Amino acid sequence: MVVLIAGCFAVLSWLSSFIGRLVRLAPLQVLVSMLVSLCSQLFQILAFLLPLKVMILLGSSGVPSYFPQLLVGVERERLILLLAAIAVLLYLMHLLMDFIGAALARAGSERLIQQPQEGEELSRQRKIAQSFYQGVITVATGSVFALGVLVFLGVFNALLLVVVLGYFLAVFLIGALVLRWVPALLEKVVTQFSRVVDMLSACGFLLVFGVLVECFLYGDTEGLWLGILTLLLCRQMFSRMAMALKNIERLYGHRERALRVLGGLHVQDEFDDELSGDLLEGADEPPGLLDGDDGALVERRSAPGTPPFWNMVDPAHCSAWIREVLATAGVSNHKPLIEQLDAGRRGELALHLTCGGAGQRAEYFLLKMFNRKEAKRVSRAAALLAPYPGEAAVRLRAVIERDGFAAHLYEWAEQARQPEDVQVLYVCREQAFIESCTWSVPELLFGGHQSGSLVSRCNPALWARCKAFSRWLDADTRQLVDELAAAPLRLQSALGALPLRLYNPDIILDNIYVLAGDPRALRWENWTLEPIGSGWPLELGLERLDQRFALLSESSDELRSLSLFQVRLAALAFAFEERCARWAYLDAFALLGKLRDTLDALDR
């Protein structure tokens, strides 16, 4: 329950902070939009209430006595015409309020855009800003309307107020207990959030309806029309609250993508899911196989019932490749068993080979073959893995190149598998970090393949983006960002004093295989050199980083010259910049407090 309360508090804290920022930017537009939306809701309720009275009058010989006293003395036919005309007028007022609300939304959303772009980017900004503005107004007016209905119930029907508040409390408590006992339901609730909210809204309305019926049958009531009005108001209250909750879920889920656009930062994806369909086209396109000037090495055949891979290729062509790469690796058995074919990315093939005859110990290998384009890319990995002595990488046994094509042979295992537990990922990252601290990359690779390091990426442009994003957050976060952005060279100079070490950004679950019980990363072509400490998995904690580095420092004079705070700084700064690079600014800002404290500790 504590976790649920903390999560709700975090969402409401962010929402209140953003609404406060919105009110400061466009106070008049926000207040008028809320007023117009509330008037539209009231006009809609009355416009649908009056036709009910008209139908009752049409079925009666006179004006029923349970009508309000003001209407009882009016002639029946005249009252029918009057109520019908008022109903039409109120519905037209409802439509007019909606039109005014849309116009105010367009005007108010323009104030959200801090740095207008040009062309299609500006159109995207306006669409996102208007969607965000309307969502906030829906949440605010829904909350005010629900509060007004509760006050109405407190004045005219205290029993019903107790029932409604009790229903809200029961839903929260029962939901917290159920999710605590059955945590697996949480994922289903999140994925089906809209349906769950609609179901709870309908159940709440049915409860109110049942209580009203019971009161009319067995208790004292204040009048039929007051009961009808109460029922309509409660129906609208539950409906508006459901809309508000769904809008909160949508806004909070898209907060980073939306806010960076409102701040004038470029973005490649869209705010609304229905707008991003074109971006997903071709995402599931299967990878192609090898190609070259002389035709495909292996013909692609994916129809059901295709024969094994060895029957699909030209034995004379492929067996020569396999014999040569096995001979280069010093494997005597050149007639391997090809167990399966894995299609990797486009231009890449992977074969699982088993070598070993009768009475011999079987050896297992992974053979990866690349076309000309991919061969150039993976040559970076081959140059690194050849001298790499660590256990975090799959061992590279041999590399051959022919006519621009390349074949890499790796040591493999019989029961090689990809892990599903994220803890295996952290173990592999920790192992890679330990090995990078104790192994210096050869100067040949250092000079030829170094890309922009963390020192150059933590530049004033990064802090400018952070400041643009932080304008929509709470005051403490804005203060932290402004404090660090005021002296950007402070972090850069501290990171620049650290030695560079190997870092592989491709150590992810999809790239890890468990070989003989040890997790190892297969792809290494995107490796970089970063300040020591970069890439440490923060999920394992900074205290564990201190322990690991202290042990490593005992056997290295270079590491002994560094302080724990320097390594901590690199780990925090790298995680901060990595989160900013993938636009996870809220997660990045959660590290600012520790980053500032570490910098202060270094200065003392």
Side-chain angles (χ1 to χ4, degrees), residues 100-374:
I100 296 175
L104 289 172
R106 288 191 294 271
S109 60
E110 292 288 340
R111 309 294 286 283
L112 293 177
I113 304 176
Q114 298 295 299
Q115 300 176 16
Q117 303 296 307
E118 297 180 355
E120 293 183 1
E121 286 296 320
L122 178 59
S123 176
R124 176 182 299 177
Q125 281 183 311
R126 286 174 174 170
K127 183 179 294 185
I128 293 175
Q130 186 171 346
S131 178
F132 215 67
Y133 181 91
Q134 289 175 334
V136 170
I137 295 300
T138 300
V139 172
T141 54
S143 303
V144 172
F145 184 84
L147 182 61
V149 173
L150 293 177
V151 172
F152 175 86
L153 293 179
V155 174
F156 294 101
N157 198 327
L159 174 62
L160 204 57
L161 175 63
V162 173
V163 171
V164 171
L165 294 180
Y167 176 72
F168 292 155
L169 181 61
V171 168
F172 184 82
L173 294 178
I174 293 175
L177 292 176
V178 170
L179 294 179
R180 180 181 179 182
W181 291 334
V182 190
L185 287 178
L186 180 59
E187 182 178 356
K188 296 183 179 179
V189 171
V190 172
T191 55
Q192 301 292 332
F193 183 78
S194 296
R195 293 184 178 180
V196 172
V197 169
D198 290 336
M199 180 192 69
L200 294 176
S201 173
C203 291
F205 171 71
L206 292 176
L207 177 63
V208 170
F209 177 71
V211 172
L212 279 175
V213 171
E214 192 272 338
C215 289
F216 272 96
L217 289 177
Y218 305 107
D220 296 330
T221 60
E222 297 293 335
L224 177 63
W225 288 111
L226 181 60
I228 294 176
L229 180 60
T230 300
L231 192 64
L232 287 176
L233 287 176
C234 288
R235 180 69 189 98
Q236 286 294 319
M237 177 187 69
F238 283 109
S239 176
R240 298 295 170 178
M241 291 183 66
M243 291 176 59
L245 288 174
K246 288 187 283 188
N247 272 278
I248 290 175
E249 188 268 341
R250 183 176 67 93
L251 295 176
Y252 190 74
H254 294 87
R255 62 194 184 283
E256 294 187 358
R257 286 190 293 170
L259 295 185
R260 69 176 181 262
V261 173
L262 301 182
L265 304 176
H266 183 70
V267 58
Q268 295 295 337
D269 49 13
E270 297 284 354
F271 175 65
D272 292 315
D273 293 337
E274 61 269 18
L275 299 178
S276 60
D278 293 341
L279 301 176
L280 300 177
E281 289 183 2
D284 296 329
E285 181 182 0
L289 304 183
L290 300 184
D291 55 77
D293 296 338
D294 298 328
L297 176 63
V298 178
E299 183 179 357
R300 177 184 169 196
R301 299 181 183 178
S302 57
T306 53
F309 173 75
W310 194 247
N311 296 330
M312 295 167 54
V313 298
D314 178 14
H317 190 91
C318 285
S319 60
W321 276 71
I322 296 174
R323 284 196 303 270
E324 183 175 359
V325 71
L326 289 176
T328 304
V331 180
S332 58
N333 187 344
H334 296 167
K335 295 182 179 181
L337 171 65
I338 302 178
E339 294 185 324
Q340 70 181 86
L341 164 69
D342 289 340
R345 65 181 69 190
R346 185 180 296 276
E348 173 184 316
L349 284 179
L351 301 177
H352 292 183
L353 309 179
T354 302
C355 299
Q360 297 180 350
R361 184 178 62 88
E363 294 182 276
Y364 302 94
F365 300 96
L366 175 69
L367 175 63
K368 304 193 74 174
M369 296 184 287
F370 307 94
N371 67 1
R372 291 181 174 89
K373 181 179 179 180
E374 291 297 301

